[in-house]
Amino acid sequence: MIDAHVHLWDRALDPQDWIDPQTMAPIARDFGTADLSAMLASTGLERAVVVQASNSLAESVRLGQLDPSVVAGLVGWVDLTAEVGPQLDRIRRNATVPVVGVRHLVHIDPDPEWMLREEVARGLGALDRAGLCFDLVVRDWQLPQAALVSGRHEGLRFVLDHLGGPPGPAEDASEWAAGLRELARRPNVVAKVSGLVSGLAPGSWRAEDLADRVTIALEAFGPDRLLYGSDWPLAELGGGAAAWRSAVDSLFAGLSEAERRRVFGDNAAEVYCLF
């Protein structure tokens, strides 16, 4: 039972300047492995994949040294426009958990076409040769770029975070749905059912409000290519990880027990090579 998407940070070492203490008060503090253990216990999961929160090699080095009894693997950050191998070596040198993938904060990169850069293509090729995944954190309008790039790197496994950032429950989701379906046609792409309530106020949503988004993702990817992720501690902004887990349980009530095992752990273990 694996939570495929969590974050940990010590702001004295790795400042998270994107956290607004006024509007994001529930997460305006440090989160360590003890907090993670408590969250996993509350959601019935055992270990988690920790994902970078800033484009910082130093942060990834520190995250690689976390407690392996609770952290199954690390999706870190390296500069894909530079030589990738030495950066991975630096993260792994004293790591206690396996480096299973790399992510770049594409959705906030100053270059709106960062994924299409030639030097990024070389970096993605290096990840492919290293047997790592690339996590895609993109806005809905960037899904066509993600489809193009994943098609160019057929040997590299891409993991779409947060279902590609669908619009809120009351907003038009047609453009997102079209982009998601096109991306799902690439067999080397899987997706995380995560982050859908991190931007919603606690008590302002119900599982039914998210049903159409999750149904579209389930139809596009199928249960063999979906991974459960809490997006904790950001899930606290939307009411907490336990509330999100309960919502996902409700939305996937129609799956078989074998399919649920895949979504809640087996797929993550397979995608990120956590055996």
Side-chain angles (χ1 to χ4, degrees):
M1 299 290 282
I2 299 170
D3 186 329
H5 198 102
V6 305
H7 304 284
L8 297 173
W9 55 69
D10 180 333
R11 294 175 300 164
L13 299 173
D14 303 300
Q16 306 295 329
D17 296 334
W18 54 275
I19 298 177
D20 183 339
Q22 300 301 317
T23 60
M24 299 181 176
I27 66 170
R29 65 176 182 87
D30 297 336
F31 290 87
T33 52
D35 302 295
L36 175 58
S37 294
M39 185 279 289
L40 292 174
S42 75
T43 56
L45 300 175
E46 298 167 2
R47 294 198 298 164
V49 175
V50 171
V51 180
Q52 57 87 230
S54 58
N55 293 342
S56 163
L57 186 61
E59 178 196 59
S60 293
V61 169
R62 285 188 277 271
L63 292 176
Q65 298 171 15
L66 293 170
D67 180 357
S69 69
V70 66
V71 177
L74 168 66
V75 175
W77 180 86
V78 301
D79 182 358
L80 291 180
T81 69
E83 193 173 354
V84 169
Q87 298 177 79
L88 290 175
D89 289 343
R90 181 178 167 192
I91 299 172
R92 289 168 167 158
R93 189 167 299 128
N94 296 306
T96 53
V97 300
V99 179
V100 299
V102 165
R103 188 175 81 153
H104 178 80
L105 301 179
V106 176
H107 64 313
I108 58 172
D109 193 277
D111 181 357
E113 296 188 339
W114 179 91
M115 282 186 288
L116 305 180
R117 292 167 62 176
E118 182 178 343
E119 59 269 42
V120 171
R122 290 195 294 269
L124 292 174
L127 296 185
D128 186 2
R129 292 188 294 274
L132 298 177
C133 300
F134 183 69
D135 268 46
L136 291 160
V137 54
V138 296
R139 306 293 190 196
D140 56 352
W141 58 268
Q142 293 173 306
L143 288 170
Q145 292 183 35
L148 181 62
V149 170
S150 58
R152 290 173 177 172
H153 298 270
E154 295 181 350
L156 177 61
R157 180 61 62 90
F158 289 83
V159 184
L160 179 66
D161 293 347
H162 315 326
L163 296 184
E171 300 175 51
D172 178 18
S174 56
E175 182 177 353
W176 163 80
L180 187 81
R181 291 184 177 114
E182 180 61 29
L183 182 58
R185 293 190 179 99
R186 276 57 176 179
N188 57 324
V189 180
V190 300
K192 293 179 183 177
V193 183
S194 61
L196 301 191
V197 299
S198 301
L200 303 178
S204 70
W205 60 273
R206 300 172 302 166
E208 305 87 77
D209 299 328
L210 310 171
D212 60 339
R213 273 55 168 168
V214 173
T215 297
I216 289 169
L218 185 58
E219 291 172 347
F221 285 96
D224 288 344
R225 294 166 60 203
L226 290 177
L227 289 64
Y228 168 81
S230 65
D231 194 28
W232 177 88
L234 280 79
E236 299 303 314
L237 299 175
W244 171 240
R245 169 66 200 267
S246 177
V248 176
D249 279 337
S250 173
L251 294 169
F252 284 154
L255 297 184
S256 69
E257 185 57 35
E259 290 170 334
R260 288 174 54 80
R261 284 198 302 269
R262 291 202 63 84
V263 172
F264 286 98
D266 289 355
N267 290 339
E270 182 178 305
V271 167
Y272 287 124
C273 300
L274 301 176
F275 302 105

